[in-house]
């Protein structure tokens, strides 16, 4: 999703640079991918990297998590480009790796620098929390995390503080947010609206199946929602709305997906690209159901004018685990309540 939004940002930032609209004149943009170990995410990233190269963007694939010496090798290889860069585009401001690399960049430091500054592109609902914490001057912590983070967080605190300063505007620092999410940025932080113009120009419009598709989430995997309650809610939604397909989140476990398929009869689909692109290419259901997640904000934009209805099902507070962070309930409610162009559904009743 971060890489998709870099492509959307490049389309907006370089729009009109080339008469044919292809590549958007962004040949001076280099994307650095720091892939995780998880196989499904790596596969999606490789597909997105291919699309980026098709747009004339240089892509560096850095195995930053490939062993004990990998972090040092990655930092050493990127130090020169980071120091020379006039503008740094950040996909995940909560990532410690990203924070470390940002602290090494010339742009965003305390000395006068080039006017390009720092751009934070969308990372979905996490962007809402990032902007809120930035406005309050708080330590950057993902919304679903509980507690202070332990000894590792304490050791990393100086680097995190440095990165937070570099993402805070000043006389020497220009900071911009590129987002499709409903965010209210601090003063002097401009927000550029991401309306998925590149996605809509590049793909579709999709063929519609006439049925209903259900979108999965990682709320169980992040420890926010109880697994059994989630499975009950999925079964109830599928039964009530006649859903036939379940688009799995990249973090959902094979065991959980097997239980969903066996208990509901839903066809499990593991997308090889972000859902915004999969839906735009089609075929896709005329109705898409989702729990509170990024897609309730992005799919209405990506699918504008196609006749697809996006509906969001609230998360009942009773579904939350004991380990869910105190912010979880309010945050999920805010994700649902601020979504535009979607139909709201009540919490799913138990399936019978």
């Amino acid at each position: 999703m971060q890489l998709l939004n870099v492509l959307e940002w490049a389309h907006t930032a370089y729009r009109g640079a080339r008469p044919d609209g292809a590549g958007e004149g962004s040949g001076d943009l280099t994307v650095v991918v720091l892939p995780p170990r998880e196989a499904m995410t790596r596969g999606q990233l490789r597909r997105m990297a291919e699309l980026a190269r098709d747009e004339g963007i240089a892509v560096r694939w850095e195995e930053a998590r490939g062993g004990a010496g990998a972090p040092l090798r990655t930092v050493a290889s990127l130090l020169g480009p980071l120091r020379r860069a006039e503008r740094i585009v950040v996909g995940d401001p909560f990532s410690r790796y990203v924070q470390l690399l940002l602290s090494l960049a010339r742009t965003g430091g305390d000395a006068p620098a080039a006017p390009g500054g720092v751009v934070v592109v969308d990372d979905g609902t996490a962007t809402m929390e990032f902007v809120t914490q930035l406005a309050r001057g708080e330590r950057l912590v993902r919304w679903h995390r509980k507690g202070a983070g332990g000894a590792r967080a304490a050791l990393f605190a100086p680097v995190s503080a440095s990165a937070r300063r570099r993402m805070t505007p000043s006389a020497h620092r220009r900071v911009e947010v590129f987002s499709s999410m409903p965010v209210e940025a601090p003063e002097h932080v401009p927000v550029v609206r991401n309306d998925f113009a590149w996605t809509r120009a590049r793909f579709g419009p999709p063929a519609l199946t006439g049925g209903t598709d259900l979108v999965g989430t990682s709320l169980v995997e992040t420890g926010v929602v109880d697994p059994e309650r989630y499975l009950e809610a999925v079964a109830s939604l599928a039964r009530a709305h006649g859903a036939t397909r379940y688009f799995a989140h990249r973090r959902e476990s094979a065991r959980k997906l097997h239980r969903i398929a066996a208990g509901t009869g839903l066809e499990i689909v593991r997308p090889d690209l972000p859902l915004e692109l999969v839906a735009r290419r089609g075929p896709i259901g005329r109705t898409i159901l989702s729990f509170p997640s990024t897609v309730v904000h992005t799919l209405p934009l990506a699918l504008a004018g196609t006749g697809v209805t996006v509906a969001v099902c609230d998360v009942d507070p009773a579904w939350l685990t004991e380990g869910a962070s105190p912010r979880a309930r309010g945050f999920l409610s805010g994700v649902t309540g601020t979504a535009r162009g979607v139909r709201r559904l009540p919490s799913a009743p138990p399936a019978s």
Side-chain angles (χ1 to χ4, degrees):
M1 187 63 184
Q2 297 162 30
L3 186 44
L4 170 58
N5 287 319
V6 171
L7 298 185
E8 293 288 353
W9 171 82
H11 179 84
T12 300
Y14 296 97
R15 185 176 292 161
R18 285 177 52 171
D20 60 1
E24 304 302 327
S26 54
D28 59 342
L29 174 64
T30 298
V31 169
V32 179
V33 180
L34 308 174
R37 295 186 179 92
E38 193 268 317
M40 186 172 178
T41 304
R42 290 174 69 89
Q44 287 189 356
L45 280 170
R46 290 195 184 279
R47 290 294 310 280
M48 287 303 305
E50 293 173 6
L51 291 178
R53 293 187 179 101
D54 290 344
E55 297 299 306
I57 296 172
V59 179
R60 291 183 55 159
W61 187 276
E62 296 282 344
E63 291 290 355
R65 299 170 176 86
L72 288 177
R73 288 194 299 270
T74 298
V75 170
S77 69
L78 294 177
L79 185 58
L82 283 170
R83 300 296 292 176
R84 293 190 297 269
E86 295 182 357
R87 180 183 299 173
I88 302 292
V89 181
V90 177
D92 179 6
F94 292 103
S95 164
R96 290 179 178 175
Y97 227 133
V98 169
Q99 291 176 9
L100 173 60
L101 294 172
L102 184 59
S103 71
L104 301 175
R106 179 175 62 93
T107 296
D110 295 321
V118 175
V119 179
V120 180
V121 301
D122 237 339
D123 188 25
T125 55
T127 307
M128 299 167 66
E129 190 71 352
F130 163 72
V131 171
T132 298
Q133 293 176 13
L134 184 66
R136 295 174 179 171
E138 297 174 349
R139 185 168 60 91
L140 300 180
V141 180
R142 299 184 194 274
W143 67 269
H144 56 80
R145 292 283 171 83
K146 188 176 182 180
R152 290 183 62 189
L155 289 173
F156 196 78
V159 174
S160 182
S162 174
R164 188 172 66 248
R165 285 195 301 272
R166 288 169 181 266
M167 288 183 280
T168 303
S170 72
H172 301 308
R173 289 188 294 269
R174 174 177 172 81
V175 179
E176 178 181 300
V177 174
F178 179 77
S179 177
S180 61
M181 309 303 290
V183 296
E184 295 184 10
E187 189 178 5
H188 307 307
V189 177
V191 177
V192 178
R193 178 72 168 166
N194 175 12
D195 62 0
F196 287 87
W198 177 82
T199 295
R200 287 184 282 109
R202 188 78 158 72
F203 301 100
L208 304 185
T209 66
T212 298
D213 293 326
L214 180 58
V215 178
T217 79
S218 61
L219 291 173
V220 170
E221 285 69 22
T222 52
V224 175
V225 169
D226 177 80
E228 298 305 320
R229 294 298 184 96
Y230 182 81
L231 292 172
E232 290 173 4
V234 168
S236 178
L237 282 174
R239 179 186 179 91
H241 298 275
T244 57
R245 294 189 298 177
Y246 181 94
F247 285 90
H249 188 281
R250 58 187 175 82
R251 291 179 181 169
E252 289 187 273
S253 69
R255 180 176 180 275
K256 173 185 164 188
L257 295 175
H258 176 74
R259 290 188 64 191
I260 289 174
T264 66
L266 287 166
E267 175 191 355
I268 304 298
V269 180
R270 280 190 172 271
D272 60 350
L273 287 168
L275 189 58
E276 293 75 12
L277 300 186
V278 171
R280 186 71 195 180
R281 295 195 308 176
I284 194 71
R286 189 171 292 277
T287 300
I288 300 176
L289 305 177
S290 175
F291 297 98
S293 71
T294 298
V295 299
V296 303
H297 293 271
T298 59
L299 284 180
L301 296 172
L303 295 171
T306 63
V308 174
T309 297
V310 178
V312 56
C313 175
D314 286 321
V315 168
D316 190 311
W319 301 354
L320 302 181
T321 66
E322 292 183 359
S325 74
R327 293 180 294 177
R329 178 177 178 179
F331 184 81
L332 290 172
S333 177
V335 170
T336 300
T338 55
R340 300 173 181 174
V342 302
R343 180 159 58 97
R344 293 191 63 172
L345 303 172
S347 302
S352 57

